[in-house]
Amino acid sequence: MHTYGLSAAQWFAVLRIGLGLWWLESWRHKDKKGWLQRSTGIEWAKGVASRHRWVFVRDSFDHVVAPRPRLMAYVVVFAELALGLGLTFGLLSPIALAAGLLLNLLYFVLMIHDWAEQGQNLMMALVSLVCLLAMSWQCWSLDRAFHLFGA
C-alpha cells in the first residue's frame, strides 16, 4: 500500500486520535453541571425516547435509563471522557473503539429522527469500525508502548 506523507499505520493512528479528540470535544461542550446535578441530558433523551417511533426504544429507555437518571448521566458523561482519552492516547484502544462503536449506535437509534445526529453518529461508528479492524493502536499509542493487544 502506498500513502502520502505517513505510513498506513500512521494514517490509521491519525484517524484514531482524531476520533478521540471528537469524543473529548463532545465531553468538553457538555453542560456537566446540568448533566450531573440535574440530569438534564437524560431528561432531554427521555423526551426523545417517549416520542420514538420504535416501541422497543421507548420500552428500553423506560426500563434501563429512566429509573436511574443520575447514574446514567454519569455513565454518559464519563464514558465520553474515557473514550476520548483512551483513543487520543491509544490506551486500551480496541476496548475503547468497540465501546465507542456501541455508544454511537445507541445514540443513532435513539436519535433516528435527527438527521444531523444521524450523520455524526454514523461517521463516528464507521471510524471506530475502521480503526478497530485496522488495529490503529499499532502506532503512536500507549498500547504499543506497553505491548498490549499485539501492538
Side-chain angles (χ1 to χ4, degrees):
M1 172 184 281
H2 297 287
T3 63
Y4 291 106
L6 301 172
S7 71
Q10 290 169 328
W11 280 120
F12 284 121
V14 167
L15 195 58
R16 184 201 77 236
I17 293 165
L19 181 61
L21 294 172
W22 199 344
W23 278 114
L24 286 174
E25 176 57 19
S26 181
W27 174 80
R28 186 195 67 78
H29 85 263
K30 273 191 175 26
D31 172 14
K32 285 167 272 306
K33 187 174 183 179
W35 269 80
L36 300 177
Q37 292 179 4
R38 298 184 310 277
S39 302
T40 55
I42 300 302
E43 287 301 313
W44 169 81
K46 183 178 182 179
V48 172
S50 71
R51 296 183 306 276
H52 207 282
R53 65 176 143 198
W54 296 337
V55 174
F56 83 91
V57 173
R58 292 191 305 264
D59 290 347
S60 298
F61 193 93
D62 288 344
H63 287 95
V64 176
V65 180
R68 305 165 188 86
R70 190 148 188 195
L71 172 64
M72 291 296 137
Y74 273 85
V75 167
V76 169
V77 169
F78 289 105
E80 290 184 0
L81 176 61
L83 290 169
L85 292 173
L87 294 172
T88 300
F89 293 103
L91 182 62
L92 305 175
S93 302
I95 296 166
L97 288 163
L101 176 60
L102 179 61
L103 189 56
N104 281 125
L105 292 176
L106 287 170
Y107 287 172
F108 176 79
V109 169
L110 177 63
M111 295 179 276
I112 200 77
H113 305 298
D114 187 331
W115 285 100
E117 286 293 329
Q118 282 182 325
Q120 173 178 311
N121 287 301
L122 275 179
M123 287 303 98
M124 290 178 80
L126 177 62
V127 172
S128 292
L129 182 63
V130 168
C131 287
L132 183 62
L133 297 177
M135 297 174 57
S136 63
W137 55 91
Q138 295 178 73
C139 184
W140 302 337
S141 73
L142 292 173
D143 292 332
R144 181 179 170 97
F146 298 145
H147 306 288
L148 302 174
F149 309 107

